[in-house]
Amino acid sequence: MLVDWIGWFDALPEGACVADLACGNGLLAGLALGFNGTRHDPLRRVFGIDIAELAPRWIGQIDPARRQQLTWLQRTPIERIPEIKGGFDAFCSQFGFEYAEPDAAVDAITRVAARGAWLQFVVHHPDSIFARQGAAELSALRMLLAPAGLFDTAGRIAANLAARFRGMPLDGSAERVRRDYNRLQLELDRLGRERPALLALLAEAREAVHAALVHASQTGDVAWLSQQRTAFDFALLRLENLVRVACSEARITALLARFESKGWRMAIADPLRQQASGALLGWRIEGCFHPDCDSTTAMKDGTDR
């Protein structure tokens, strides 16, 4: 965990209603529910909210009574959070809120918040270790997936291997394609030496392509390569989105101003760093929806104990 979420959840009042925004696999929802290490059995309602369909594996490991405290709101963007009776007492998000349209998301959260509601978000920073690694991998993926890149060249080899499997003659381009493929392998070797952080990604791509070529040579089936490529196309889209949504200081300032204009008192908007190494991880944002509360003191008491 990037922050002390358990301590933050433990500071909530008994019976609090919590919204885990863009919850993904429901890590924070599980912690808010008292699963995976909280110090007591909380009496709270938890809503896991995400635009995707949700099916976390950990759900099967909690007892039915505890499960009744949890509600999944699937295919629900942050901008369209539904209202609940009494409103939400707390909002949390870890690398999810920033993917929403910020003004609409702030308006939606404010609309469904109970008076005195707390929020804590961890969002991507463009200079964080995650964003920097993402940008490096994005560049490599674009090279791998480009025309005449590894997957494209492997596709031409797969077609030749499938033709050979069926006993069909190869055209004169087969040798040139083989040379192109070998040249690409040497380029990937060089890239891996120059940028060791990319070694895992490059190895994964090469293993996927090799397996697909073996499959084509043994079965005559070239479709499997396209199936292997799909995972890398998805990774490309995911990293493009990560780099796009990473919040600059100017964007964070605008976001805080939007919250403030809607009646929130924002206590913290600081770069979040790894304690051991000092590596930048993201931004941590906290606030309180209560015109009369001293949100700085309230949130500090809830998170630093």
Side-chain angles (χ1 to χ4, degrees), residues 59-79:
I59 287 295
Q61 302 174 35
I62 62 177
D63 62 81
R66 180 75 62 86
R67 203 176 306 168
Q68 290 180 0
Q69 297 172 242
L70 176 64
T71 300
W72 292 127
L73 297 178
Q74 305 183 95
R75 297 180 292 279
T76 303
I78 295 174
E79 299 91 331

Side-chain angles (χ1 to χ4, degrees), residues 105-163:
V106 171
D107 292 350
I109 291 169
T110 304
R111 172 176 52 81
V112 301
R115 185 177 180 83
W118 291 2
L119 67 78
Q120 178 166 254
F121 300 152
V122 175
V123 301
H124 283 297
H125 189 299
D127 292 323
S128 73
I129 56 175
F130 303 118
R132 286 184 177 275
Q133 178 67 16
E137 292 186 359
L138 181 58
S139 176
L141 281 168
R142 285 173 174 161
M143 181 186 69
L144 293 169
L145 297 169
L150 181 67
F151 280 90
D152 184 55
T153 304
R156 287 180 283 155
I157 289 183
N160 288 335
L161 292 173

Side-chain angles (χ1 to χ4, degrees), residues 250-266:
R251 185 175 176 189
I252 287 292
T253 300
L255 178 62
L256 296 183
R258 182 72 177 190
F259 271 112
E260 294 275 1
S261 74
K262 297 297 179 178
W264 292 82
R265 294 190 177 183
M266 307 307 291

Side-chain angles (χ1 to χ4, degrees), residues 35 79 82-83 102 140 181 189-190 259 276:
F35 183 65
E79 299 91 331
E83 294 184 21
Y181 183 77
D189 286 338
R190 175 186 56 77
F259 271 112

